[in-house]
Amino acid sequence: MSLAWVDGEIMPAQEATVTLLCHGLHYGTAVFEGIRAYATPRGPALFRLDDHLDRLLDSARLYALEIPYSRDELRAATHELVARSGLASCYVRPIAFPVSADGTMRVCPLGASTTVAIAVWEWGAYLGEAGKRDGIRAKVSSWQRISEESLLPAAKAAGHYLNSVLASVEAQRAGYEEAILLDSTGHVSEGAAENVFVVRDGRIATPTLCNAILDGITRQSTIAIARDLGLEVAERNVGRHELYIADEVFVTGTAAELTPVREVDDRVVGDGRPGPVTLRLQSALDDALHGRTERWAHWSEPVAAGALEVPAP
Ligand code: PMP
């Protein structure tokens, strides 16, 4: 069942509420994560939990938000919650946001207290089972990806997602499944909620951390797996034209996992079917996510309840 942990207390997710005078709600200052637990041969296991929690703490630091829990405390809370939910596999959403202590709602959050919550629920393939199998149709967005001139794209912050909302609404209204955004220099940045890869002549390329992307954990896993298989992966500027002449294009994300892209801007990618590199990486990543490979077993953390006491702040 869907459960939430809110500052040390576990409750049904529908019963977890926030106050109206919540800084995170008014100004988009929440930072959050998206994590998955998979059914594995060792029981439900969280995929790269520590890496996600580190990114949450980094996101908070980037926006000067204090999180009153250590990574170990957040890890213990996550384990406890997933164990109590009884779900064999689920999506896990930690979120932290300032709540103004004095109710004045001033914009500067310094001095506000931070609420930390974690919710778990069941969530299938983000871009659909058919999308994962056959590939999706993507559109290069008319919206530019947020840039470091005004925000910190490396953080996973609620306010950033207005940019993703504009792009995905535009793409879906035009009949595509996902948007691909360019950065302020015109290079490929990322999807509305995924990182992007192109493959040409067997060589893989993906935008760099300086192309305004979120440093996706699935992106990191995919790069590590590809290199381990002896494939070449370059992190470099990727031009829009490369999306049109690539043999293969795919996107990665915790929610989307590894999803092939079969068309970009109505141009068919390769022969319109997921290509050999995409299929090989998709299957290797799926094995890692489901704890089926010894090689990547350290990414998969079997869920254990009662591992640590979580003190109230
Ligand atoms: N970029 C954006 C904007 C995202 O929302 C996500 C999903 N968290 C990603 C990339 C992929 O990141 P990850 O693989 O860590 O889920």
Side-chain angles (χ1 to χ4, degrees):
M1 87 184 201
S2 311
L3 284 184
W5 175 98
V6 185
D7 284 326
E9 238 184 276
I10 292 183
M11 61 197 79
Q14 311 85 281
E15 285 174 25
T17 56
V18 292
T19 166
L20 180 62
L21 297 183
C22 170
H23 197 280
L25 176 65
H26 291 249
Y27 306 123
T29 39
V31 295
F32 66 100
E33 269 307 314
I35 310 169
R36 275 192 192 268
Y38 288 91
T40 76
R42 297 186 290 167
L46 288 146
F47 189 71
R48 300 191 70 167
L49 176 62
D50 279 348
D51 296 311
H52 281 283
L53 294 177
D54 281 345
R55 191 172 64 184
L56 179 73
L57 298 174
D58 284 346
S59 297
R61 217 167 138 200
L62 286 167
Y63 280 112
L65 182 67
E66 277 193 33
I67 295 200
Y69 301 98
S70 66
R71 189 179 76 172
D72 282 350
E73 288 168 334
L74 294 172
R75 187 201 303 116
T78 308
H79 275 268
E80 187 68 34
L81 193 63
V82 176
R84 287 219 214 159
S85 76
L87 298 169
S89 63
C90 59
Y91 186 80
V92 181
R93 168 62 55 85
I95 186 161
F97 48 88
V99 180
S100 6
D102 58 5
T104 60
M105 294 305 295
R106 64 196 176 95
V107 167
C108 178
L110 296 175
S113 62
T114 309
T115 291
V116 181
I118 309 172
V120 299
W121 67 89
E122 274 184 297
W123 204 3
Y126 181 70
L127 293 165
E129 283 304 330
K132 236 195 122 178
R133 189 187 59 236
D134 305 327
I136 57 160
R137 297 177 60 244
K139 175 191 190 314
V140 173
S141 186
S142 74
W143 297 99
Q144 189 181 94
R145 167 76 176 153
I146 54 166
S147 78
E148 236 173 24
E149 279 139 359
S150 50
L151 289 165
L152 293 161
K156 193 164 172 64
H160 294 181
Y161 282 80
L162 285 176
N163 182 234
S164 298
V165 166
L166 286 171
S168 54
V169 165
E170 176 188 69
Q172 291 191 21
R173 282 197 173 143
Y176 302 86
E177 276 106 32
E178 189 53 303
I180 294 176
L181 291 89
L182 306 180
D183 69 12
S184 59
T185 64
H187 294 109
V188 175
S189 179
E190 61 178 359
E194 309 84 16
N195 293 111
V196 177
F197 289 77
V198 295
V199 185
R200 187 159 151 105
D201 296 333
R203 287 197 296 270
I204 305 167
T206 192
T208 74
L209 300 184
C210 292
N211 292 117
I213 66 167
L214 181 74
D215 185 7
I217 311 286
T218 324
R219 170 186 182 276
Q220 295 170 15
S221 307
T222 304
I223 293 172
I225 289 171
R227 289 185 177 150
D228 193 61
L229 292 172
L231 298 167
E232 183 188 319
V233 186
E235 294 175 67
R236 60 165 174 79
N237 283 334
V238 174
R240 178 177 185 159
H241 67 280
E242 295 186 68
L243 296 169
Y244 299 155
I245 56 174
D247 301 324
E248 305 177 37
V249 178
F250 61 86
V251 295
T252 63
T254 298
E257 298 169 335
L258 194 155
T259 299
V261 176
R262 67 184 163 90
E263 269 182 35
V264 179
D265 291 345
D266 304 309
R267 295 155 187 257
V268 175
V269 176
D271 65 3
R273 281 181 308 223
V277 174
T278 304
L279 290 174
R280 195 167 168 210
L281 290 177
Q282 188 184 51
S283 136
L285 178 70
D286 270 345
D287 283 345
L289 295 173
H290 292 89
R292 291 190 292 252
T293 23
E294 211 33 59
R295 176 75 185 89
W296 308 108
H298 56 285
W299 284 343
S300 204
E301 203 173 306
V303 169
L308 274 173
E309 280 299 304
V310 188

